[in-house]
Amino acid sequence: GVSRTTLLKDLDLVEEWIDTFGLTLERRPNFGFMLAGSEHQQRQGIAALAWGDTSFSDPLMQMSHSAGLVYELANDADLMPLASHVNQLVAQWHIKQAMALVGFAEMALNGRFTDNAVLYLALVIAIQKQRILNGQITNTIQPNFNKQVHQKVWQVAAEMLDQQDINLAEKQRECETAYLTMHMLSGSRSGIWPADLEMDEPFADLLSSLMRGVAQAYRVPAMQSDTALREGLAAHLIPAFMRQRFDLWAPTIGYVRNLPERYGFETTIATTLAEEISAETGINLPEDEVHNLVLLLRAAFIRERPNR
């Protein structure tokens, strides 16, 4: 019941959105359209769509810790073939089981993910398993990924695949283990991981430089040795760096966009730190990540200010 003109206009909007993931629509005359791109890119787009991170209308799916993934049109599945098709697909994503695996990873890595990251990783794991079972397997490893550097997280990812009874050829297994490892490294932490303490030297130097800059900006020398601030910056920046290094989509942190005016000084410092990070690493922090820096700085200042 939709005209061809309307459909083509909608596809133009879809094409603009999927381009952000490096995906394209291949048009075949008298046949239709095909989504073209690597398996890695397609999974990124699927996860963002399921999360509701699109430029379209209200999302059709909702993620929560209690219900998992809920498809808003599930009750209309009997009325619309398309809704029925999507509902069947969503039913193949076992979010609750995936959440249990995220809990296993937290225990194995002796660290905690943020609540948002738990949902994000559960979605990634569920989509990965469904794609593998349907024969859609990633066959490449991101060039910037180094297995030797992240051996501990790699071992946990391999165990998580074993727990799901996923059997693959050796090369395919390596690619899928790397895929899962990269996403875990990119998940926001509630605090620094023991593995993060083994960070490479350039990053450690950058962190020290940022701490000096903070202390100078506030004119409070003691802030340079604020362990809580240093670990907070590391727990925040490491996954942010990983996401950009591996070119991974992740949901925004979700902090308020308009911070209180009394945070103006922290906002200025955070913007300066973000510029230094960009100059040193080439990584540009998105707005929500800069807002997180603002909150970390504010907390550090409250800890250090004199009590009268």
Side-chain angles (χ1 to χ4, degrees):
V2 179
S3 72
R4 179 177 175 82
T5 301
T6 299
L7 182 60
L8 292 175
K9 285 183 178 178
D10 283 349
L11 282 173
D12 287 340
L13 295 174
V14 171
E15 200 163 18
E16 184 179 334
W17 179 73
I18 64 173
D19 181 63
T20 60
F21 300 96
L23 296 165
T24 58
L25 278 182
E26 286 192 3
R27 301 166 187 260
R28 303 288 176 86
N30 303 316
F31 182 76
F33 301 82
M34 182 176 72
L35 191 66
S38 70
E39 176 62 20
H40 174 89
Q41 293 166 321
Q42 293 199 37
R43 290 182 191 180
Q44 297 280 91
I46 292 170
L49 186 62
W51 191 272
D53 185 14
T54 72
S55 54
F56 313 131
S57 57
D58 293 339
L60 293 176
M61 301 182 197
Q62 297 289 339
M63 284 282 293
S64 73
H65 289 272
S66 57
L69 183 65
V70 176
Y71 178 43
E72 299 290 341
L73 298 181
N75 293 332
D76 298 325
D78 293 336
L79 305 175
M80 291 186 290
L82 181 57
S84 175
H85 177 77
V86 175
N87 196 41
Q88 290 171 24
L89 177 63
V90 171
Q92 296 175 35
W93 297 338
H94 302 296
I95 302 295
K96 291 291 189 69
Q97 294 177 15
M99 283 187 192
L101 285 169
V102 177
F104 163 79
E106 289 180 322
M107 289 182 61
L109 294 168
N110 194 23
R112 300 280 298 175
F113 292 107
T114 62
D115 290 347
N116 213 39
V118 170
L119 291 177
Y120 152 68
L121 288 171
L123 183 61
V124 166
I125 292 166
I127 291 172
Q128 179 188 36
K129 181 176 181 179
Q130 183 267 333
R131 298 288 287 184
I132 292 173
L133 294 179
N134 281 278
Q136 294 154 315
I137 301 167
T138 183
N139 53 17
T140 58
I141 295 178
Q142 222 279 349
N144 293 330
F145 177 75
N146 186 334
K147 172 183 174 181
Q148 302 305 321
V149 174
H150 308 293
Q151 192 64 234
K152 175 64 176 176
V153 185
W154 173 280
Q155 291 169 356
V156 174
E159 175 62 25
M160 291 166 74
L161 290 177
D162 286 340
Q163 290 188 27
Q164 298 177 81
D165 295 323
I166 293 176
N167 300 310
L168 296 166
E170 184 177 351
K171 176 61 178 176
Q172 293 177 330
R173 182 178 179 77
E174 278 214 351
C175 293
E176 291 293 354
T177 304
Y179 179 83
L180 188 51
T181 302
M182 289 190 299
H183 279 87
M184 286 199 292
L185 288 167
S186 302
S188 300
R189 293 104 151 100
S190 292
I192 195 169
W193 288 354
D196 291 337
L197 298 175
E198 302 166 6
M199 65 189 77
D200 52 46
E201 202 62 39
F203 183 81
D205 291 343
L206 173 62
L207 209 52
S208 298
S209 175
L210 296 178
M211 293 293 291
R212 284 194 299 273
V214 170
Q216 290 168 5
Y218 280 103
R219 297 182 180 178
V220 180
M223 291 184 75
Q224 186 172 339
S225 357
D226 187 331
T227 304
L229 175 60
R230 184 183 179 91
E231 292 189 358
L233 287 173
H236 162 63
L237 293 176
I238 289 175
F241 288 172
M242 294 298 179
R243 285 193 288 275
Q244 293 205 26
R245 177 180 293 177
F246 304 141
D247 192 23
L248 296 177
W249 169 85
T252 57
I253 295 172
Y255 291 136
V256 289
R257 292 192 173 276
N258 299 313
L259 293 171
E261 289 185 9
R262 65 180 182 276
Y263 292 1
F265 186 57
E266 283 79 12
T267 300
T268 301
I269 299 175
T271 302
T272 302
L273 295 181
E275 290 171 353
E276 180 180 347
I277 290 168
S278 178
E280 291 292 327
T281 66
I283 291 174
N284 299 312
L285 296 179
E287 184 182 27
D288 62 314
E289 303 281 6
V290 177
H291 280 190
N292 198 18
L293 287 180
V294 171
L295 300 183
L296 287 171
L297 292 170
R298 185 69 180 180
F301 174 67
I302 290 172
R303 283 194 298 273
E304 294 296 337
R305 68 185 178 187
N307 294 314
R308 294 188 172 87

